[in-house]
PDB file of all heavy atoms in Angstrom:
ATOM      1  N   TYR A  18     120.774 116.783 111.105  1.00 98.00           N
ATOM      2  CA  TYR A  18     121.611 115.785 110.463  1.00 98.00           C
ATOM      3  C   TYR A  18     120.787 114.972 109.471  1.00 98.00           C
ATOM      4  O   TYR A  18     119.568 114.849 109.604  1.00 98.00           O
ATOM      5  CB  TYR A  18     122.210 114.830 111.498  1.00 98.00           C
ATOM      6  CG  TYR A  18     122.984 115.527 112.589  1.00 98.00           C
ATOM      7  CD1 TYR A  18     122.366 115.906 113.777  1.00 98.00           C
ATOM      8  CD2 TYR A  18     124.333 115.822 112.425  1.00 98.00           C
ATOM      9  CE1 TYR A  18     123.072 116.550 114.769  1.00 98.00           C
ATOM     10  CE2 TYR A  18     125.045 116.471 113.417  1.00 98.00           C
ATOM     11  CZ  TYR A  18     124.412 116.832 114.593  1.00 98.00           C
ATOM     12  OH  TYR A  18     125.123 117.480 115.575  1.00 98.00           O
ATOM     13  N   LEU A  19     121.475 114.412 108.507  1.00 98.00           N
ATOM     14  CA  LEU A  19     120.868 113.470 107.583  1.00 98.00           C
ATOM     15  C   LEU A  19     121.796 112.267 107.475  1.00 98.00           C
ATOM     16  O   LEU A  19     122.856 112.356 106.855  1.00 98.00           O
ATOM     17  CB  LEU A  19     120.636 114.101 106.205  1.00 98.00           C
ATOM     18  CG  LEU A  19     119.864 113.237 105.212  1.00 98.00           C
ATOM     19  CD1 LEU A  19     118.425 113.039 105.674  1.00 98.00           C
ATOM     20  CD2 LEU A  19     119.889 113.865 103.820  1.00 98.00           C
ATOM     21  N   GLN A  20     121.402 111.168 108.105  1.00 98.00           N
ATOM     22  CA  GLN A  20     122.139 109.917 108.016  1.00 98.00           C
ATOM     23  C   GLN A  20     121.701 109.204 106.748  1.00 98.00           C
ATOM     24  O   GLN A  20     120.522 108.874 106.597  1.00 98.00           O
ATOM     25  CB  GLN A  20     121.860 109.046 109.238  1.00 98.00           C
ATOM     26  CG  GLN A  20     122.442 107.638 109.164  1.00 98.00           C
ATOM     27  CD  GLN A  20     123.939 107.614 109.277  1.00 98.00           C
ATOM     28  OE1 GLN A  20     124.500 108.141 110.239  1.00 98.00           O
ATOM     29  NE2 GLN A  20     124.607 107.011 108.306  1.00 98.00           N
ATOM     30  N   MET A  21     122.628 108.959 105.838  1.00 98.00           N
ATOM     31  CA  MET A  21     122.328 108.358 104.548  1.00 98.00           C
ATOM     32  C   MET A  21     123.018 107.003 104.467  1.00 98.00           C
ATOM     33  O   MET A  21     124.253 106.931 104.453  1.00 98.00           O
ATOM     34  CB  MET A  21     122.779 109.261 103.401  1.00 98.00           C
ATOM     35  CG  MET A  21     122.197 110.666 103.475  1.00 98.00           C
ATOM     36  SD  MET A  21     122.601 111.667 102.019  1.00 98.00           S
ATOM     37  CE  MET A  21     124.386 111.771 102.206  1.00 98.00           C
ATOM     38  N   ASN A  22     122.227 105.936 104.416  1.00 98.00           N
ATOM     39  CA  ASN A  22     122.744 104.579 104.317  1.00 98.00           C
ATOM     40  C   ASN A  22     122.392 103.975 102.970  1.00 98.00           C
ATOM     41  O   ASN A  22     121.501 104.447 102.268  1.00 98.00           O
ATOM     42  CB  ASN A  22     122.160 103.702 105.431  1.00 98.00           C
ATOM     43  CG  ASN A  22     122.551 104.158 106.813  1.00 98.00           C
ATOM     44  OD1 ASN A  22     123.647 104.662 107.029  1.00 98.00           O
ATOM     45  ND2 ASN A  22     121.649 103.956 107.771  1.00 98.00           N
ATOM     46  N   SER A  23     123.087 102.904 102.618  1.00 98.00           N
ATOM     47  CA  SER A  23     122.823 102.174 101.370  1.00 98.00           C
ATOM     48  C   SER A  23     122.726 103.120 100.183  1.00 98.00           C
ATOM     49  O   SER A  23     121.792 103.046  99.377  1.00 98.00           O
ATOM     50  CB  SER A  23     121.537 101.351 101.510  1.00 98.00           C
ATOM     51  OG  SER A  23     121.628 100.431 102.573  1.00 98.00           O
ATOM     52  N   LEU A  24     123.694 103.994 100.058  1.00 98.00           N
ATOM     53  CA  LEU A  24     123.657 105.014  99.013  1.00 98.00           C
ATOM     54  C   LEU A  24     123.709 104.393  97.624  1.00 98.00           C
ATOM     55  O   LEU A  24     124.381 103.380  97.397  1.00 98.00           O
ATOM     56  CB  LEU A  24     124.806 105.997  99.203  1.00 98.00           C
ATOM     57  CG  LEU A  24     124.572 107.018 100.321  1.00 98.00           C
ATOM     58  CD1 LEU A  24     125.879 107.656 100.757  1.00 98.00           C
ATOM     59  CD2 LEU A  24     123.581 108.084  99.851  1.00 98.00           C
ATOM     60  N   LYS A  25     122.988 105.012  96.705  1.00 98.00           N
ATOM     61  CA  LYS A  25     122.893 104.585  95.315  1.00 98.00           C
ATOM     62  C   LYS A  25     123.416 105.688  94.406  1.00 98.00           C
ATOM     63  O   LYS A  25     123.412 106.857  94.785  1.00 98.00           O
ATOM     64  CB  LYS A  25     121.433 104.285  94.947  1.00 98.00           C
ATOM     65  CG  LYS A  25     120.740 103.290  95.848  1.00 98.00           C
ATOM     66  CD  LYS A  25     119.265 103.182  95.486  1.00 98.00           C
ATOM     67  CE  LYS A  25     118.546 102.196  96.377  1.00 98.00           C
ATOM     68  NZ  LYS A  25     117.097 102.110  96.043  1.00 98.00           N
ATOM     69  N   PRO A  26     123.829 105.346  93.186  1.00 98.00           N
ATOM     70  CA  PRO A  26     124.248 106.398  92.248  1.00 98.00           C
ATOM     71  C   PRO A  26     123.168 107.458  92.041  1.00 98.00           C
ATOM     72  O   PRO A  26     123.499 108.633  91.841  1.00 98.00           O
ATOM     73  CB  PRO A  26     124.522 105.620  90.956  1.00 98.00           C
ATOM     74  CG  PRO A  26     124.966 104.280  91.432  1.00 98.00           C
ATOM     75  CD  PRO A  26     124.106 103.998  92.642  1.00 98.00           C
ATOM     76  N   GLY A  27     121.898 107.078  92.112  1.00 98.00           N
ATOM     77  CA  GLY A  27     120.804 108.025  91.963  1.00 98.00           C
ATOM     78  C   GLY A  27     120.700 109.043  93.086  1.00 98.00           C
ATOM     79  O   GLY A  27     119.960 110.022  92.960  1.00 98.00           O
ATOM     80  N   ASP A  28     121.421 108.830  94.187  1.00 98.00           N
ATOM     81  CA  ASP A  28     121.458 109.796  95.277  1.00 98.00           C
ATOM     82  C   ASP A  28     122.460 110.916  95.026  1.00 98.00           C
ATOM     83  O   ASP A  28     122.521 111.872  95.805  1.00 98.00           O
ATOM     84  CB  ASP A  28     121.803 109.107  96.596  1.00 98.00           C
ATOM     85  CG  ASP A  28     120.758 108.089  97.025  1.00 98.00           C
ATOM     86  OD1 ASP A  28     119.555 108.395  96.915  1.00 98.00           O
ATOM     87  OD2 ASP A  28     121.155 106.992  97.475  1.00 98.00           O
ATOM     88  N   THR A  29     123.261 110.802  93.985  1.00 98.00           N
ATOM     89  CA  THR A  29     124.242 111.835  93.653  1.00 98.00           C
ATOM     90  C   THR A  29     123.539 113.160  93.403  1.00 98.00           C
ATOM     91  O   THR A  29     122.638 113.246  92.566  1.00 98.00           O
ATOM     92  CB  THR A  29     125.061 111.433  92.426  1.00 98.00           C
ATOM     93  OG1 THR A  29     125.834 110.264  92.736  1.00 98.00           O
ATOM     94  CG2 THR A  29     125.993 112.551  92.000  1.00 98.00           C
ATOM     95  N   ALA A  30     123.933 114.193  94.135  1.00 98.00           N
ATOM     96  CA  ALA A  30     123.294 115.502  94.031  1.00 98.00           C
ATOM     97  C   ALA A  30     123.998 116.469  94.965  1.00 98.00           C
ATOM     98  O   ALA A  30     124.815 116.072  95.796  1.00 98.00           O
ATOM     99  CB  ALA A  30     121.809 115.414  94.410  1.00 98.00           C
ATOM    100  N   VAL A  31     123.652 117.748  94.836  1.00 98.00           N
ATOM    101  CA  VAL A  31     123.998 118.727  95.854  1.00 98.00           C
ATOM    102  C   VAL A  31     122.866 118.730  96.873  1.00 98.00           C
ATOM    103  O   VAL A  31     121.698 118.874  96.504  1.00 98.00           O
ATOM    104  CB  VAL A  31     124.192 120.134  95.262  1.00 98.00           C
ATOM    105  CG1 VAL A  31     124.470 121.145  96.371  1.00 98.00           C
ATOM    106  CG2 VAL A  31     125.336 120.127  94.256  1.00 98.00           C
ATOM    107  N   TYR A  32     123.207 118.570  98.128  1.00 98.00           N
ATOM    108  CA  TYR A  32     122.220 118.509  99.200  1.00 98.00           C
ATOM    109  C   TYR A  32     122.181 119.835  99.947  1.00 98.00           C
ATOM    110  O   TYR A  32     123.218 120.377 100.340  1.00 98.00           O
ATOM    111  CB  TYR A  32     122.538 117.366 100.164  1.00 98.00           C
ATOM    112  CG  TYR A  32     122.157 116.019  99.613  1.00 98.00           C
ATOM    113  CD1 TYR A  32     122.890 115.444  98.574  1.00 98.00           C
ATOM    114  CD2 TYR A  32     121.055 115.320 100.098  1.00 98.00           C
ATOM    115  CE1 TYR A  32     122.534 114.220  98.043  1.00 98.00           C
ATOM    116  CE2 TYR A  32     120.698 114.095  99.574  1.00 98.00           C
ATOM    117  CZ  TYR A  32     121.438 113.543  98.544  1.00 98.00           C
ATOM    118  OH  TYR A  32     121.079 112.322  98.021  1.00 98.00           O
ATOM    119  N   TYR A  33     120.971 120.353 100.159  1.00 98.00           N
ATOM    120  CA  TYR A  33     120.747 121.625 100.822  1.00 98.00           C
ATOM    121  C   TYR A  33     119.869 121.441 102.055  1.00 98.00           C
ATOM    122  O   TYR A  33     118.949 120.629 102.043  1.00 98.00           O
ATOM    123  CB  TYR A  33     120.021 122.610  99.896  1.00 98.00           C
ATOM    124  CG  TYR A  33     120.718 122.927  98.603  1.00 98.00           C
ATOM    125  CD1 TYR A  33     120.534 122.131  97.483  1.00 98.00           C
ATOM    126  CD2 TYR A  33     121.543 124.040  98.503  1.00 98.00           C
ATOM    127  CE1 TYR A  33     121.161 122.428  96.285  1.00 98.00           C
ATOM    128  CE2 TYR A  33     122.173 124.349  97.308  1.00 98.00           C
ATOM    129  CZ  TYR A  33     121.976 123.538  96.202  1.00 98.00           C
ATOM    130  OH  TYR A  33     122.600 123.846  95.017  1.00 98.00           O
ATOM    131  N   CYS A  34     120.125 122.216 103.096  1.00 98.00           N
ATOM    132  CA  CYS A  34     119.162 122.318 104.178  1.00 98.00           C
ATOM    133  C   CYS A  34     118.474 123.673 104.094  1.00 98.00           C
ATOM    134  O   CYS A  34     119.011 124.635 103.534  1.00 98.00           O
ATOM    135  CB  CYS A  34     119.809 122.113 105.552  1.00 98.00           C
ATOM    136  SG  CYS A  34     121.025 123.347 106.042  1.00 98.00           S
ATOM    137  N   ALA A  35     117.267 123.742 104.618  1.00 98.00           N
ATOM    138  CA  ALA A  35     116.463 124.951 104.536  1.00 98.00           C
ATOM    139  C   ALA A  35     115.584 125.068 105.775  1.00 98.00           C
ATOM    140  O   ALA A  35     115.245 124.062 106.400  1.00 98.00           O
ATOM    141  CB  ALA A  35     115.595 124.936 103.272  1.00 98.00           C
ATOM    142  N   ALA A  36     115.208 126.300 106.111  1.00 97.00           N
ATOM    143  CA  ALA A  36     114.377 126.577 107.274  1.00 97.00           C
ATOM    144  C   ALA A  36     113.172 127.415 106.872  1.00 97.00           C
ATOM    145  O   ALA A  36     113.296 128.350 106.081  1.00 97.00           O
ATOM    146  CB  ALA A  36     115.180 127.303 108.346  1.00 97.00           C
ATOM    147  N   ALA A  37     112.019 127.080 107.421  1.00 97.00           N
ATOM    148  CA  ALA A  37     110.774 127.789 107.129  1.00 97.00           C
ATOM    149  C   ALA A  37     110.083 128.194 108.416  1.00 97.00           C
ATOM    150  O   ALA A  37     109.975 127.389 109.348  1.00 97.00           O
ATOM    151  CB  ALA A  37     109.842 126.912 106.295  1.00 97.00           C
ATOM    152  N   ASN A  38     109.606 129.435 108.466  1.00 95.00           N
ATOM    153  CA  ASN A  38     108.863 129.924 109.621  1.00 95.00           C
ATOM    154  C   ASN A  38     107.407 129.486 109.492  1.00 95.00           C
ATOM    155  O   ASN A  38     106.496 130.293 109.327  1.00 95.00           O
ATOM    156  CB  ASN A  38     108.971 131.446 109.724  1.00 95.00           C
ATOM    157  CG  ASN A  38     108.425 131.987 111.035  1.00 95.00           C
ATOM    158  OD1 ASN A  38     108.162 131.231 111.967  1.00 95.00           O
ATOM    159  ND2 ASN A  38     108.249 133.291 111.109  1.00 95.00           N
ATOM    160  N   GLU A  39     107.217 128.175 109.534  1.00 94.00           N
ATOM    161  CA  GLU A  39     105.916 127.541 109.414  1.00 94.00           C
ATOM    162  C   GLU A  39     105.826 126.421 110.424  1.00 94.00           C
ATOM    163  O   GLU A  39     106.838 125.831 110.797  1.00 94.00           O
ATOM    164  CB  GLU A  39     105.693 126.979 108.005  1.00 94.00           C
ATOM    165  CG  GLU A  39     105.803 127.990 106.882  1.00 94.00           C
ATOM    166  CD  GLU A  39     104.589 128.878 106.774  1.00 94.00           C
ATOM    167  OE1 GLU A  39     103.562 128.553 107.412  1.00 94.00           O
ATOM    168  OE2 GLU A  39     104.656 129.890 106.055  1.00 94.00           O
ATOM    169  N   ARG A  40     104.615 126.098 110.855  1.00 93.00           N
ATOM    170  CA  ARG A  40     104.437 125.009 111.807  1.00 93.00           C
ATOM    171  C   ARG A  40     104.600 123.644 111.153  1.00 93.00           C
ATOM    172  O   ARG A  40     105.095 122.704 111.786  1.00 93.00           O
ATOM    173  CB  ARG A  40     103.056 125.094 112.455  1.00 93.00           C
ATOM    174  CG  ARG A  40     102.855 126.304 113.336  1.00 93.00           C
ATOM    175  CD  ARG A  40     101.422 126.383 113.861  1.00 93.00           C
ATOM    176  NE  ARG A  40     101.037 125.192 114.609  1.00 93.00           N
ATOM    177  CZ  ARG A  40     100.144 124.303 114.198  1.00 93.00           C
ATOM    178  NH1 ARG A  40      99.524 124.466 113.036  1.00 93.00           N
ATOM    179  NH2 ARG A  40      99.855 123.250 114.953  1.00 93.00           N
ATOM    180  N   LEU A  41     104.190 123.527 109.895  1.00 94.00           N
ATOM    181  CA  LEU A  41     104.225 122.272 109.163  1.00 94.00           C
ATOM    182  C   LEU A  41     105.132 122.391 107.955  1.00 94.00           C
ATOM    183  O   LEU A  41     105.456 123.494 107.511  1.00 94.00           O
ATOM    184  CB  LEU A  41     102.818 121.871 108.724  1.00 94.00           C
ATOM    185  CG  LEU A  41     101.769 121.758 109.825  1.00 94.00           C
ATOM    186  CD1 LEU A  41     100.408 121.447 109.222  1.00 94.00           C
ATOM    187  CD2 LEU A  41     102.159 120.687 110.836  1.00 94.00           C
ATOM    188  N   CYS A  42     105.542 121.259 107.391  1.00 95.00           N
ATOM    189  CA  CYS A  42     106.426 121.254 106.237  1.00 95.00           C
ATOM    190  C   CYS A  42     105.737 121.896 105.035  1.00 95.00           C
ATOM    191  O   CYS A  42     104.705 121.402 104.578  1.00 95.00           O
ATOM    192  CB  CYS A  42     106.843 119.833 105.898  1.00 95.00           C
ATOM    193  SG  CYS A  42     107.816 119.024 107.185  1.00 95.00           S
ATOM    194  N   PRO A  43     106.296 122.984 104.500  1.00 94.00           N
ATOM    195  CA  PRO A  43     105.689 123.690 103.368  1.00 94.00           C
ATOM    196  C   PRO A  43     106.268 123.251 102.033  1.00 94.00           C
ATOM    197  O   PRO A  43     107.119 122.367 101.960  1.00 94.00           O
ATOM    198  CB  PRO A  43     106.047 125.148 103.663  1.00 94.00           C
ATOM    199  CG  PRO A  43     107.433 125.035 104.240  1.00 94.00           C
ATOM    200  CD  PRO A  43     107.457 123.731 105.012  1.00 94.00           C
ATOM    201  N   GLN A  44     105.803 123.902 100.961  1.00 92.00           N
ATOM    202  CA  GLN A  44     106.377 123.694  99.639  1.00 92.00           C
ATOM    203  C   GLN A  44     107.771 124.311  99.581  1.00 92.00           C
ATOM    204  O   GLN A  44     108.107 125.192 100.375  1.00 92.00           O
ATOM    205  CB  GLN A  44     105.484 124.311  98.560  1.00 92.00           C
ATOM    206  CG  GLN A  44     104.095 123.714  98.484  1.00 92.00           C
ATOM    207  CD  GLN A  44     104.126 122.257  98.082  1.00 92.00           C
ATOM    208  OE1 GLN A  44     104.786 121.877  97.115  1.00 92.00           O
ATOM    209  NE2 GLN A  44     103.418 121.424  98.835  1.00 92.00           N
ATOM    210  N   ARG A  45     108.571 123.853  98.616  1.00 93.00           N
ATOM    211  CA  ARG A  45     109.946 124.309  98.499  1.00 93.00           C
ATOM    212  C   ARG A  45     110.059 125.825  98.447  1.00 93.00           C
ATOM    213  O   ARG A  45     110.922 126.415  99.123  1.00 93.00           O
ATOM    214  CB  ARG A  45     110.588 123.700  97.239  1.00 93.00           C
ATOM    215  CG  ARG A  45     112.035 124.087  97.025  1.00 93.00           C
ATOM    216  CD  ARG A  45     112.505 123.665  95.650  1.00 93.00           C
ATOM    217  NE  ARG A  45     111.760 124.352  94.603  1.00 93.00           N
ATOM    218  CZ  ARG A  45     111.943 124.167  93.309  1.00 93.00           C
ATOM    219  NH1 ARG A  45     112.852 123.315  92.880  1.00 93.00           N
ATOM    220  NH2 ARG A  45     111.213 124.826  92.428  1.00 93.00           N
ATOM    221  N   TYR A  46     109.207 126.469  97.694  1.00 92.00           N
ATOM    222  CA  TYR A  46     109.323 127.910  97.475  1.00 92.00           C
ATOM    223  C   TYR A  46     108.910 128.729  98.689  1.00 92.00           C
ATOM    224  O   TYR A  46     109.077 129.947  98.698  1.00 92.00           O
ATOM    225  CB  TYR A  46     108.500 128.340  96.253  1.00 92.00           C
ATOM    226  CG  TYR A  46     107.053 127.925  96.293  1.00 92.00           C
ATOM    227  CD1 TYR A  46     106.105 128.675  96.977  1.00 92.00           C
ATOM    228  CD2 TYR A  46     106.630 126.772  95.633  1.00 92.00           C
ATOM    229  CE1 TYR A  46     104.777 128.285  97.011  1.00 92.00           C
ATOM    230  CE2 TYR A  46     105.300 126.377  95.664  1.00 92.00           C
ATOM    231  CZ  TYR A  46     104.380 127.135  96.357  1.00 92.00           C
ATOM    232  OH  TYR A  46     103.060 126.749  96.392  1.00 92.00           O
ATOM    233  N   GLU A  47     108.376 128.084  99.714  1.00 95.00           N
ATOM    234  CA  GLU A  47     107.946 128.792 100.914  1.00 95.00           C
ATOM    235  C   GLU A  47     109.001 128.815 102.013  1.00 95.00           C
ATOM    236  O   GLU A  47     108.786 129.436 103.052  1.00 95.00           O
ATOM    237  CB  GLU A  47     106.650 128.179 101.447  1.00 95.00           C
ATOM    238  CG  GLU A  47     105.473 128.339 100.499  1.00 95.00           C
ATOM    239  CD  GLU A  47     104.211 127.686 101.015  1.00 95.00           C
ATOM    240  OE1 GLU A  47     104.154 126.439 101.052  1.00 95.00           O
ATOM    241  OE2 GLU A  47     103.274 128.426 101.397  1.00 95.00           O
TER     242      GLU A  47
END
């Protein structure tokens, strides 16, 4: 889940979730 509070116009976007077979948070392309 992503709880988004105090939203601003700059938050306007398409939001995606993604999964990586890595132990730590990798770069987007990984």
Side-chain angles (χ1 to χ4, degrees):
Y18 304 92
L19 186 67
Q20 173 71 55
M21 305 186 295
N22 297 326
S23 301
L24 283 162
K25 305 174 180 179
D28 297 317
T29 296
V31 177
Y32 283 72
Y33 301 87
C34 64
N38 190 12
E39 302 284 347
R40 294 176 58 249
L41 304 176
C42 296
Q44 298 296 311
R45 181 191 63 181
Y46 54 83
E47 295 178 290

